[in-house]
Amino acid sequence: MQQQQQEDEQQQPWRMEEDDDAEIGYIDRAAENTLEQHKRVLEEFERKREARGIVVPVDDAQVRKQLRKRQVPVTLFGEDAYDRRERLRLILALELEKADKEEEEEEQRRTTGTSKVLGDEKHTETFYTEGTARLRAARKEICIYSLHRAKERIAQEKRRIQALRAFSEQEKDKIDKDDFELASAWQEERKEFIKSAQYMTVLSSQFGDERPITGIRFAPNQQLVATCSWSGNIRLWNVSDGNERTVLQGHTERVSSLAFSPRPVSSRCFLLASAAADNTARLWTIDCNDCSVQKTWVLRGHTARVTSAEFHPSGKYLATASFDHTWRLWDVETRKELVVQEGHSKPLYKVSFQVDGSLAISAGADCGARLWDLRTGRSVASFLGHGKPILTVDCSPDGYHFATGSEDHSIRIWDIRKKRCVYTIPAHSALVSHVEFHENGHFLLSSSFDKTCKLWSTQGWVLIKALIGHEDKVMCCNASRDGRYIASCCYDRTWKLWGVEKSLSQEEDNGLWCDGDRMETQDGFL
């Protein structure tokens, strides 16, 4: 019997074990069970929020009369006068919700009928302001760069989706060998990450500054962590032992955000950008070996606090958001301002680039996000839905989703193609301070003032792991490029490194730069 099973396995090289399938897909099955649960929680939350603004009679006799009028039970078991009054409030909220829907439907029918009879007589006029030659060259370069990136991403995504669909439909004989290897490697990587994430714990905790730490980022070589704080200082730390390497001083006010360039300045140096409340952003060229600052430049132009700095995927441009209601695009090589983009009515908190580099998304205190086409300068779409200011935004590596985190405690997932919210995660019990998609596409990372960081599966938006250990508000978090470690910083002036408990001494300090599929070391490229 055992010999026959071995022969069957040799005849079916594409067969996957049932146990592995179960492990790979258990998050997906759990997602189906949580979709309706999340939807019910959000609907109930909105209904109670609206009910709080409805005026109901104080007299219990009048409350009973209103309930009897609506042909519902006048009293329930164990219900007192206050509970009865709250029940009437919820009933009135449901009636208002139903009336609003009927009114919207009637208005839509009336508008549709009128437009068919009279035709569309609305005329709009678009005004354009001529830009500089430098801006025109930058837009052209962004267009060429994004087209190549989009072509490669879409081709690879199509191959992976076709292979995964063949897996699910039990048509493995139709899978190309290369496609099978691609899909198998992706699923295996996802399965391993989900397994390891369950055992993530605090590897180290460090006192980072004299004032609250506001931002944290892993360096491209994954050997260093950078933190910034309200003291105006930026500090670099070793990942392996948590020791401080150097302090970068230059800002005169609170530093709000950090970002590392995706491309190296040279074989030994990388570029760091910082944004601060002194109305400036700074660029720092840092040596990989001794962490010394080679050069620094100041970017001036904003008239109010600069809240974030983010590099374009090409590494040639930098976007900064500010409380002056604008975001600006800078040329990294010349340190010149290319464009000042208006469009928001209140202060901006964050700007993020789409993975191909063709689009930018800005969000702020006006509770909305705007999508901008960097190739033309146009505002493509507006995304409204949050009830409070949006504090953070990040784009998914799939190219058409992005996530926003807000003061309303929720994370919303938006689809650029549909131009609407496709899912709302009731993520935290306090405001969401940071959201971040990992470049492997397996998870979304979030932090909150409820003292936690959370990892969410991008398939179904199910909670994978909650990182609990901070004693105060978590200001920011960041995952390493390989997804093995997560760094988070807190209002209590500490930062923590999270990962699977094992010896970090196995990480040899010989990698200076990771870029795509190659690693630059002292001996050259691997």
Side-chain angles (χ1 to χ4, degrees):
M1 180 67 68
Q2 183 176 4
Q3 182 177 2
Q4 184 178 357
Q5 290 180 353
Q6 293 177 353
E7 292 176 356
D8 293 339
E9 291 177 356
Q10 294 176 356
Q11 293 175 1
Q12 299 178 0
W14 313 120
R15 188 170 63 86
M16 298 181 67
E17 296 293 337
E18 295 181 358
D19 293 342
D20 290 343
D21 288 338
E23 290 177 352
I24 293 172
Y26 81 91
I27 285 292
D28 301 331
R29 291 194 297 272
E32 297 176 359
N33 298 329
T34 57
L35 290 177
E36 289 298 326
Q37 181 182 357
H38 284 182
K39 184 178 180 181
R40 287 194 298 269
V41 170
L42 291 169
E43 289 177 351
E44 186 67 19
F45 174 78
E46 291 294 331
R47 194 174 296 116
K48 288 182 178 179
R49 184 175 63 83
E50 294 176 358
R52 284 195 294 269
I54 298 176
V55 179
V56 297
V58 179
D59 187 8
D60 188 53
Q62 293 294 327
V63 173
R64 290 173 179 268
K65 183 178 179 180
Q66 293 289 338
L67 292 172
R68 189 178 294 110
K69 181 180 178 181
R70 286 165 175 77
Q71 298 181 356
V72 296
V74 175
T75 184
L76 299 177
F77 180 76
E79 187 179 56
D80 57 13
Y82 176 80
D83 296 333
R84 193 160 32 250
R85 189 165 178 262
E86 291 300 312
R87 182 159 59 91
L88 175 61
R89 195 190 300 272
L90 288 175
I91 292 174
L92 293 175
L94 289 172
E95 290 179 355
L96 288 176
E97 183 180 349
K98 183 178 179 181
D100 290 341
K101 289 183 179 179
E102 292 177 352
E103 184 178 352
E104 289 178 1
E105 292 175 357
E106 180 63 26
E107 181 66 23
Q108 186 176 3
R109 286 195 296 269
R110 190 184 306 112
T111 304
T112 304
T114 304
S115 62
K116 288 182 179 179
V117 175
L118 301 179
D120 189 4
E121 299 180 357
K122 185 178 180 180
H123 298 281
T124 59
E125 185 175 357
T126 304
F127 293 88
Y128 294 95
T129 302
E130 185 175 357
T132 63
R134 187 169 61 247
L135 176 59
R136 180 180 180 182
R139 294 199 190 282
K140 183 177 180 180
E141 186 175 9
I142 289 174
C143 180
I144 296 173
Y145 174 84
S146 62
L147 286 174
H148 287 297
R149 294 259 298 190
K151 182 178 179 180
E152 295 175 1
R153 175 181 57 81
I154 293 173
Q156 185 173 5
E157 187 68 10
K158 283 182 177 180
R159 290 177 56 201
R160 188 179 65 83
I161 290 176
Q162 290 174 358
L164 292 176
R165 185 180 295 122
F167 273 129
S168 61
E169 295 175 357
Q170 301 298 324
E171 297 179 352
K172 301 174 184 179
D173 55 328
K174 299 181 180 180
I175 308 175
D176 183 78
K177 183 177 180 180
D178 294 337
D179 291 349
F180 169 81
E181 292 177 354
L182 177 67
S184 179
W186 187 87
Q187 291 216 35
E188 185 65 26
E189 181 183 357
R190 178 171 175 266
K191 181 182 71 172
E192 290 299 324
F193 170 77
I194 292 172
K195 281 184 178 180
S196 62
Q198 306 302 318
Y199 302 98
M200 273 195 173
T201 185
V202 178
L203 298 179
S204 65
S205 181
Q206 299 292 333
F207 181 81
D209 209 286
E210 298 175 353
R211 299 197 66 190
I213 304 176
T214 54
I216 190 165
R217 288 289 179 102
F218 279 95
N221 61 8
Q222 303 186 85
Q223 307 298 321
L224 299 172
V225 170
T227 61
C228 61
S229 76
W230 283 1
S231 67
N233 295 332
I234 301 169
R235 300 175 187 268
L236 298 179
W237 309 79
N238 278 332
V239 173
S240 58
D241 53 18
N243 292 331
E244 181 182 307
R245 293 293 301 274
T246 189
V247 181
L248 310 181
Q249 296 179 331
H251 287 290
T252 58
E253 284 287 345
R254 297 166 294 171
V255 183
S256 307
S257 174
L258 293 172
F260 282 98
S261 174
R263 52 182 289 186
V265 177
S266 65
S267 60
R268 294 184 54 189
C269 299
F270 54 82
L271 194 63
L272 173 67
S274 59
D278 57 8
N279 303 354
T280 67
R282 282 179 177 262
L283 292 173
W284 313 78
T285 301
I286 303 173
D287 191 284
C288 298
N289 295 331
D290 56 8
C291 295
S292 61
V293 179
Q294 302 296 316
K295 293 181 181 179
T296 181
W297 299 274
V298 182
L299 306 181
R300 304 182 188 274
H302 285 290
T303 59
R305 166 189 170 190
V306 184
T307 52
S308 76
E310 196 72 29
F311 280 98
H312 187 266
S314 67
K316 295 183 178 181
Y317 307 100
L318 180 75
T320 55
S322 171
F323 267 36
D324 62 9
H325 305 185
T326 69
W327 69 270
R328 304 181 184 225
L329 190 67
W330 306 80
D331 189 315
V332 172
E333 295 181 0
T334 62
R335 276 78 61 186
K336 299 294 184 180
E337 181 184 279
L338 295 176
V339 65
V340 180
Q341 190 65 69
E342 299 177 341
H344 288 268
S345 59
K346 290 187 178 181
L348 269 68
Y349 285 105
K350 189 67 184 295
V351 177
S352 180
F353 290 105
Q354 189 247 11
V355 66
D356 298 329
S358 59
L359 305 172
I361 300 170
S362 58
D366 55 5
C367 307
R370 279 187 174 271
L371 182 67
W372 306 89
D373 190 340
L374 298 176
R375 300 162 295 185
T376 62
R378 297 180 180 178
S379 177
V380 179
S382 297
F383 299 86
L384 300 175
H386 282 291
K388 291 187 177 181
I390 301 175
L391 304 179
T392 176
V393 60
D394 193 44
C395 296
S396 170
D398 64 16
Y400 54 87
H401 284 124
F402 70 93
T404 54
S406 169
E407 285 187 11
D408 62 11
H409 307 180
S410 69
I411 298 173
R412 286 181 179 257
I413 310 299
W414 307 83
D415 193 317
I416 294 176
R417 303 166 301 179
K418 299 178 182 179
K419 297 184 180 180
R420 65 179 179 86
C421 176
V422 294
Y423 198 82
T424 302
I425 308 175
H428 293 274
S429 58
L431 66 83
V432 181
S433 57
H434 185 75
V435 293
E436 172 187 303
F437 281 97
H438 194 265
E439 62 184 46
N440 62 19
H442 299 319
F443 69 96
L444 172 71
L445 179 63
S446 66
S447 64
S448 169
F449 277 19
D450 63 5
K451 307 178 185 179
T452 66
C453 297
K454 294 184 178 181
L455 283 75
W456 306 89
S457 170
T458 53
Q459 294 190 352
W461 312 111
V462 181
L463 178 64
I464 299 175
K465 177 71 173 179
L467 305 179
I468 301 173
H470 282 289
E471 299 179 358
D472 210 330
K473 299 173 287 189
V474 183
M475 308 292 283
C476 188
C477 57
N478 183 237
S480 60
R481 295 184 66 176
D482 56 11
R484 295 174 56 190
Y485 304 113
I486 292 173
S488 58
C489 60
C490 184
Y491 188 82
D492 63 6
R493 300 170 292 172
T494 64
W495 68 273
K496 296 183 184 295
L497 181 69
W498 308 78
V500 179
E501 191 71 51
K502 64 180 181 179
S503 175
L504 293 178
S505 62
Q506 298 175 358
E507 297 292 326
E508 298 180 359
D509 191 14
N510 60 352
L512 298 182
W513 186 264
C514 294
D515 184 15
D517 295 327
R518 63 181 185 175
M519 170 80 79
E520 184 178 337
T521 65
Q522 296 177 356
D523 299 328
F525 289 104
L526 297 179

